[in-house]
């Protein structure tokens, strides 16, 4: 009888061990499966985001081609010097969120332009609100992350007409100005800061921005007839906005070549504006001093950090 009990025990122990090991392996297998599913979900989410971004970029580039045709047919007029919206560049990305700049560095694609607004007192104070779909926020995460959002940035320049230019031009300061004809007043004019070219729809760019300061912004928005819902202004000195060259994967600065300044000197109807650009240098009328040197250093730092691989790579 004792032998029979021993036999049953010998048979039962291995069976229990096998059963226990099977039960133990089940949660591990389930955890592994859950981990694989979580990874798949993440990958699917990333794929969906990339696909959506691809659609946004493709649509923006198509809209940009239409916009380029409109700008080409407009007369060209340029604002001399840097806009009052800008402040001096820091020399490194890490410095953008510190000191007096308090800037937010973002990557994004320009998707829209809103109709330009202007000052009631100056013919050249023309501003455009550009919409940027933010692909990544690089600095200053003390504020809410803007990644994936569409934000609005006030930039100097925009599309207007000869009639609008004439209406706001300080004619008392000049002699022998002849009023344009009714037909001439309908002529579209593209106004641009020669050292801070307006980003075009379809441009992929890196730019430093600042939220409007409350009191100052309300004064500025009211004076320039905005709807007081704009989010940001540019926060950089001249040539401080960097555009992705899709052929090289490098970011470049831009500056306008062969400009004519002021009312009555608009030109270039039927011609696209010509820009100088460089992946290694920032072009400026003044190629010395802190602002220029800092802009050069900042562009170099941006390319070291954010230059992208091209298709050929």
């Amino acid at each position: 009888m004792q032998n029979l009990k021993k036999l049953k025990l010998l048979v039962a122990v291995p069976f229990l061990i096998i059963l226990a090991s099977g039960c133990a392996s089940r949660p591990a297998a389930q955890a592994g499966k859950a981990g694989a599913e979580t990874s798949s979900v993440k990958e699917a989410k990333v794929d969906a985001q990339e696909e959506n971004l691809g659609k946004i970029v493709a649509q923006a580039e198509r809209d940009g081609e239409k916009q380029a045709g409109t700008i080409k047919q407009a007369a060209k007029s340029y604002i001399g010097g840097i806009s009052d919206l800008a402040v001096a560049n820091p020399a490194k990305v890490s410095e953008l969120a510190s000191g007096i700049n308090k800037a937010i560095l973002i990557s994004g694609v320009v998707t829209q332009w809103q109709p330009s607004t202007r000052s009631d007192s100056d013919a050249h104070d023309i501003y455009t609100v550009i919409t940027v779909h933010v692909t990544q926020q690089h600095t200053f995460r003390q504020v809410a992350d803007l990644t994936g959002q569409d934000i609005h940035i006030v930039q100097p320049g925009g599309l207007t007409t000869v009639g609008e230019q004439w209406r706001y031009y300080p004619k008392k300061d000049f002699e022998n100005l002849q009023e344009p004809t009714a037909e001439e007043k309908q002529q579209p004019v593209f106004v641009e800061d020669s050292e801070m070219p307006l980003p075009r729809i379809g441009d992929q760019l890196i730019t430093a921005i600042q939220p409007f300061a409350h009191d100052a912004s309300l004064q500025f928005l009211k004076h320039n007839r905005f709807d007081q819902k704009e989010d940001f202004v540019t926060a950089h000195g001249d040539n401080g906005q960097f555009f992705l060259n899709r052929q090289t994967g490098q970011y470049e600065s831009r500056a306008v070549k062969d400009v004519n300044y002021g009312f009555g000197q608009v030109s270039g109807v039927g011609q696209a504006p010509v820009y100088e650009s460089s992946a290694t240098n920032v072009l400026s009328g003044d190629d010395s001093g802190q602002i220029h040197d800092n802009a050069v250093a900042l562009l170099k730092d941006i390319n070291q950090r954010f230059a992208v691989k091209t298709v050929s790579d």
Side-chain angles (χ1 to χ4, degrees):
M1 193 68 171
Q2 291 293 331
N3 291 336
L4 182 59
K5 287 181 179 179
K6 288 180 181 179
L7 181 60
K8 287 181 177 178
L9 185 60
L10 290 171
V11 171
V13 169
F15 176 74
L16 290 173
I17 292 173
I18 293 170
L19 181 63
S21 64
C23 291
S25 65
R26 220 173 291 158
Q30 289 173 347
K33 183 179 180 182
E37 288 176 351
T38 301
S39 178
S40 297
V41 168
K42 289 180 179 178
E43 289 178 3
K45 186 177 180 180
V46 170
D47 289 344
Q49 290 173 341
E50 290 180 351
E51 182 180 0
N52 182 56
L53 178 59
K55 291 178 180 178
I56 291 173
V57 171
Q59 183 61 54
E61 289 177 353
R62 287 193 292 270
D63 293 343
E65 291 177 1
K66 297 176 184 177
Q67 183 189 60
T70 301
I71 293 173
K72 183 177 180 180
Q73 294 309 313
K76 312 301 184 301
S77 182
Y78 296 97
I79 305 167
I82 194 63
S83 165
D84 291 337
L85 289 178
V87 295
N89 281 317
K92 296 180 180 179
V93 169
S94 60
E95 296 172 356
L96 278 165
S98 62
I100 63 170
N101 288 280
K102 295 295 183 186
I104 306 167
L105 188 71
I106 60 166
S107 301
V109 56
V110 181
T111 58
Q112 294 180 44
W113 276 14
Q114 293 179 11
S116 62
T117 57
R118 64 186 308 129
S119 165
D120 288 327
S121 59
D122 192 325
H124 291 153
D125 281 356
I126 299 171
Y127 298 93
T128 293
V129 181
I130 65 171
T131 301
V132 175
H133 179 80
V134 180
T135 54
Q136 189 173 355
Q137 180 174 322
H138 301 291
T139 62
F140 204 53
R141 291 188 180 274
Q142 290 92 329
V143 299
D145 190 0
L146 300 172
T147 302
Q149 296 186 36
D150 293 323
I151 64 172
H152 304 108
I153 304 172
V154 176
Q155 293 252 176
L159 283 164
T160 183
T161 64
V162 169
E164 283 287 289
Q165 290 287 81
W166 174 261
R167 177 184 175 187
Y168 293 101
Y169 201 73
K171 294 175 278 294
K172 64 180 181 1
D173 298 333
F174 298 87
E175 296 181 359
N176 303 321
L177 279 179
Q178 185 174 352
E179 182 172 353
T181 66
E183 183 178 357
E184 288 171 338
K185 287 181 179 180
Q186 299 301 312
Q187 168 69 49
V189 178
F190 177 60
V191 178
E192 189 168 35
D193 189 315
S194 60
E195 295 180 359
M196 189 190 290
L198 265 171
R200 305 298 198 263
I201 295 175
D203 274 337
Q204 296 180 55
L205 77 167
I206 283 183
T207 184
I209 56 175
Q210 287 177 311
F212 270 119
H214 182 68
D215 293 336
S217 68
L218 291 180
Q219 295 279 340
F220 174 84
L221 295 171
K222 183 177 179 180
H223 181 66
N224 289 285
R225 305 207 302 267
F226 286 98
D227 62 12
Q228 301 189 11
K229 295 180 181 178
E230 316 314 331
D231 302 322
F232 299 97
V233 293
T234 50
H236 50 73
D238 61 341
N239 298 311
Q241 211 159 29
F242 306 122
F243 301 86
L244 179 65
N245 182 325
R246 291 189 290 272
Q247 302 299 318
T248 65
Q250 296 277 306
Y251 285 92
E252 299 177 342
S253 61
R254 291 179 183 168
V256 183
K257 291 179 66 175
D258 302 325
V259 300
N260 290 321
Y261 296 109
F263 184 82
Q265 296 183 20
V266 292
S267 62
V269 178
Q271 298 176 2
V274 178
Y275 300 95
E276 296 176 309
S277 62
S278 171
T280 57
N281 194 18
V282 175
L283 301 161
S284 172
D286 178 10
D287 61 0
S288 63
Q290 184 179 9
I291 290 180
H292 175 80
D293 293 340
N294 282 3
V296 172
L298 181 60
L299 177 55
K300 182 178 179 181
D301 192 28
I302 282 173
N303 273 317
Q304 286 176 339
R305 293 169 181 264
F306 306 120
V308 299
K309 289 185 177 181
T310 62
V311 176
S312 60
D313 292 336

